[in-house]
Amino acid sequence: MSEKIPVTVLTGYLGAGKTTLLNRILTEDHGKKFAVIVNEFGETGIDGDLVVGADEEVFEMNNGCICCTVRGDLIRILDGLMKRKGKFDAIIVETTGLADPAPVAQTFFVDQDVGDATKLDAVVTVTDAKWLKDRLKDAPEAKNQIAFADVIILNKTDLVTPEELAEVETTIRAINPYAKLHKTTRCDLPIADLLDRNAFDLDRILDIEPDFLEAGHHHHHSEDVRSMSFAIPGDVDPEKFMPWINDISQAQGPNILRSKGILAFKDEPRRFVFQGVHMILDGDLQRDWKSGEKRESRLVFIGRDLDEAALRKGFMACAA
């Protein structure tokens, strides 16, 4: 099977610096060619005109806040891009600042052709160090964008004091402790830190949170979005796990912003890696467990109003 094309979803609230970041990606000397999809809100699109890099092709999706419209537009554009495979190395989707990233991320699960040809490499969220606390009070989308992120850029750090910056970083970590976080001015960071991250692989979490595998490791905070993780020190039974995770996703999907896991299935030499967005789940067997690598099963949920005790009990009951 031919190599899947990596897709980076670039999100962040209005004014955080997404277009600045996109222009940086497109103008830096990295030798790669990108197809860019800009998701606008409203009838008249101007973001495409704000994006520099005359070499790149920019496709616009309008009326970006209606989930089914976004998904239909995105599938149509991606299908067209696949017919011209080889003319670009990766795809970047920039969402409107008012968008929940869920429908965009779900597209890569729900459409068979899109899923066969592309892989969602990472959700990158740009946040504004000066105004984020205000946005979290009045804009639920801003919180969802942070919770969804695999990579977070805390931008405009030059506009706040060191104390204010530390406070904003603590707030972000309370919503999403697992994402890789970069502090920037004018989104100035190496492109390699953003692209080709394979960010849905939970191995990255261990780089950020070495105590992730400790029993009962989870995060509480005063906001309504919480992160929790569970580990079974060994194999799980797929005959138990698959029905359980499907049931949980159907019953609590609206409250589960993200779920992901790396599992050791009984009698299976390869790792099963899965990810979910609300009720949509996707997963497959990936590389072999390495010699000397500890076989264990790890699971993460980020969402609202989740019953941690019940989720832990249900997952532990899947042990082989």
Side-chain angles (χ1 to χ4, degrees):
M1 188 171 125
S2 62
E3 192 70 18
K4 291 187 178 185
I5 296 170
V7 179
T8 300
V9 174
L10 182 57
T11 186
Y13 206 68
L14 299 167
K18 293 190 304 300
T19 302
T20 300
L21 176 61
L22 185 56
N23 285 336
R24 187 177 288 281
I25 292 170
L26 297 184
T27 55
E28 221 169 81
D29 184 16
H30 43 57
K32 292 194 171 189
K33 187 164 175 59
F34 299 99
V36 180
I37 302 172
V38 180
N39 172 204
E40 292 240 37
F41 180 56
E43 293 294 336
T44 308
I46 63 161
D47 270 10
D49 297 327
L50 298 175
V51 176
V52 300
D55 231 11
E56 318 297 336
E57 300 198 66
V58 177
F59 304 86
E60 290 190 9
M61 299 186 294
N62 288 349
N63 292 319
C65 285
I66 304 164
C67 299
C68 53
T69 304
V70 169
R71 196 175 294 148
D73 272 2
L74 185 53
I75 289 170
R76 179 177 52 77
I77 292 170
L78 288 168
D79 282 345
L81 283 174
M82 290 313 114
K83 295 183 175 71
R84 301 155 63 195
K85 221 167 165 178
K87 296 192 176 177
F88 50 89
D89 303 298
I91 298 169
I92 299 171
V93 182
E94 181 192 4
T95 72
T96 166
L98 294 169
D100 184 328
V104 173
Q106 283 175 333
T107 305
F108 299 91
F109 303 129
V110 299
D111 187 84
Q112 179 80 39
D113 293 337
V114 169
D116 287 346
T118 64
K119 66 166 184 173
L120 184 55
D121 185 71
V123 176
V124 177
T125 296
V126 185
T127 60
D128 182 330
K130 184 167 178 61
W131 296 108
L132 180 63
K133 286 185 71 178
D134 291 334
R135 294 295 71 75
L136 290 175
K137 290 174 190 163
D138 61 24
E141 300 90 352
K143 190 179 294 178
N144 284 358
Q145 290 163 357
I146 290 170
F148 252 79
D150 303 297
V151 179
I152 295 171
I153 297 171
L154 180 50
N155 194 35
K156 305 188 184 181
T157 56
D158 54 325
L159 301 182
V160 295
T161 66
E163 294 74 24
E164 289 170 328
L165 183 61
E167 191 179 341
V168 173
E169 186 174 355
T170 299
T171 301
I172 289 172
R173 280 284 170 235
I175 298 170
N176 185 342
Y178 304 117
K180 184 76 175 169
L181 190 141
H182 302 279
K183 289 173 263 197
T184 65
T185 301
R186 302 189 202 289
C187 291
D188 186 7
L189 79 165
I191 300 308
D193 290 342
L194 295 178
L195 307 176
D196 274 338
R197 298 300 302 161
N198 266 326
F200 283 124
D201 190 330
L202 289 192
D203 284 350
R204 285 188 59 258
I205 291 175
L206 296 176
D207 296 335
I208 304 160
E209 295 238 348
D211 64 340
F212 170 67
L213 294 180
E214 290 181 10
H217 180 63
H218 59 272
H219 292 258
H220 293 278
H221 53 93
S222 57
E223 305 295 341
D224 58 342
V225 175
R226 290 185 53 211
S227 308
M228 54 195 69
S229 58
F230 314 109
I232 291 176
D235 293 359
V236 299
D237 183 344
E239 302 285 326
K240 296 176 184 173
F241 176 77
M242 292 302 199
W244 174 75
I245 194 69
N246 277 314
D247 288 349
I248 289 293
S249 299
Q250 293 310 306
Q252 300 186 46
N255 292 336
I256 300 173
L257 293 173
R258 287 287 289 272
S259 58
K260 35 183 152 177
I262 295 176
L263 305 169
F265 279 166
K266 185 176 63 175
D267 302 324
E268 172 54 60
R270 291 169 294 172
R271 309 186 322 164
F272 183 81
V273 178
F274 93 93
Q275 53 180 310
V277 177
H278 292 305
M279 293 175 229
I280 309 293
L281 295 174
D282 186 42
D284 58 15
L285 292 165
Q286 296 190 354
R287 68 162 175 82
D288 285 359
W289 290 94
K290 294 174 184 170
S291 174
E293 184 178 13
K294 188 177 176 189
R295 278 181 69 104
E296 57 198 334
S297 302
R298 316 195 292 273
L299 193 59
V300 170
F301 291 102
I302 299 176
R304 295 184 174 86
D305 302 322
L306 300 178
D307 186 334
E308 183 178 351
L311 288 171
R312 177 184 287 108
K313 184 178 178 184
F315 182 48
M316 296 303 165
C318 298

